[in-house]
Amino acid sequence: ETGVTQTPRHLVMGMTNKKSLKCEQHLGHNAMYWYKQSAKKPLELMFVYSLEERVENNSVPSRFSPECPNSSHLFLHLHTLQPEDSALYLCASSQVIGVGTEAFFGQGTRLTVV
Amino acid sequence: GENVEQHPSTLSVQEGDSAVIKCTYSDSASNYFPWYKQELGKGPQLIIDIRSNVGEKKDQRIAVTLNKTAKHFSLHITETQPEDSAVYFCAATLSNFGNEKLTFGTGTRLTIIP
């Protein structure tokens, strides 16, 4: 148990659905991240939040909408996704943002878009 | 931006033998190089890291070496055990005004043969 919990673990959704991924960290960290992990591709950073403010948005399509209501919770709202968005979505947290601060990852949500 | 290449993509070694995974990076300003281990059904977990002011770091059976001139770094696992079977990711990052932005390699699937 790394202290970062993601729900649901698996999600199948149609292209017209709206769903949300949830991440919760119990480590008292101030920074939270969303990553996308696709087969045979490097982990892709999507969003970074520091103290509930978004500090990084890596050219992610608007069909992905993050929300960070407080430093312990992070959501990823999904709507009108495409089949190529099927992947493992990983949430991570760290004490602060900056070099050398270890990122703790959740187990991920396996998303399948049909 | 930074580009990280990782080799090999798959590696099988006999239990007790050593395993070596290599990564190269493109941005000579990168100064922090972590290695993550991802077991089946889990998120990546930091196992060792190295900063650009040292050439080697060791932690029990795991060691990482860094060659700044050649811009490559390697993970060495000695006396491998079945529990070492996992996917390993290297990463490189540059501290940029407090933002943390890890660029990951594509991963190496390590299988330890009993």
Side-chain angles (χ1 to χ4, degrees):
Chain A
E1 180 60 55
T2 64
V4 180
T5 305
Q6 288 186 244
T7 54
R9 292 292 308 277
H10 301 272
L11 178 62
V12 179
M13 61 184 288
M15 289 189 282
T16 58
N17 291 159
K18 287 185 180 181
K19 296 285 183 183
S20 296
L21 310 185
K22 180 182 176 183
C23 176
E24 185 174 359
Q25 57 98 358
H26 315 276
L27 302 168
H29 289 168
N30 292 319
M32 296 188 77
Y33 312 76
W34 279 117
Y35 285 87
K36 177 183 180 182
Q37 187 174 34
S38 304
K40 299 185 179 177
K41 291 178 72 174
L43 238 60
E44 300 172 55
L45 179 67
M46 300 175 71
F47 301 104
V48 181
Y49 276 82
S50 176
L51 296 170
E52 303 144 46
E53 286 200 21
R54 192 191 311 179
V55 297
E56 188 91 22
N57 177 346
N58 272 5
S59 304
V60 180
S62 59
R63 57 186 184 269
F64 295 92
S65 174
E67 179 190 1
C68 187
N70 54 63
S71 58
S72 299
H73 293 85
L74 185 65
F75 295 89
L76 188 62
H77 303 299
L78 317 171
H79 64 96
T80 59
L81 294 192
Q82 305 297 312
E84 59 265 28
D85 296 323
S86 298
L88 181 69
Y89 287 84
L90 290 162
C91 171
S93 72
S94 63
Q95 186 67 48
V96 293
I97 52 175
V99 171
T101 53
E102 179 179 354
F104 292 80
F105 285 84
Q107 293 174 301
T109 294
R110 173 72 59 189
L111 174 68
T112 304
V113 181
V114 297
Chain B
E2 176 65 277
N3 181 48
V4 176
E5 294 191 2
Q6 183 172 348
H7 300 281
S9 57
T10 60
L11 178 62
S12 295
V13 301
Q14 209 69 39
E15 182 178 352
D17 288 351
S18 296
V20 180
I21 302 170
K22 298 180 179 181
C23 289
T24 60
Y25 60 99
S26 61
D27 189 343
S28 57
S30 287
N31 53 13
Y32 176 63
F33 307 91
W35 285 88
Y36 283 83
K37 175 183 181 183
Q38 186 173 22
E39 296 175 338
L40 194 63
K42 296 184 178 180
Q45 184 175 4
L46 179 72
I47 55 171
I48 195 167
D49 57 13
I50 191 168
R51 299 174 193 275
S52 60
N53 58 345
V54 297
E56 183 174 1
K57 184 176 178 180
K58 213 172 179 180
D59 182 4
Q60 299 182 338
R61 297 188 295 108
I62 295 173
V64 57
T65 58
L66 171 65
N67 183 327
K68 285 192 297 181
T69 305
K71 290 188 285 188
H72 65 71
F73 56 113
S74 300
L75 178 72
H76 304 254
I77 306 174
T78 58
E79 300 172 22
T80 52
Q81 299 169 5
E83 54 264 36
D84 295 329
S85 293
V87 179
Y88 291 81
F89 294 93
C90 62
T93 188
L94 165 67
S95 176
N96 181 22
F97 202 64
N99 286 347
E100 176 172 77
K101 191 171 182 176
L102 288 171
T103 300
F104 285 85
T106 48
T108 297
R109 182 173 298 280
L110 174 64
T111 302
I112 307 303
I113 304 166

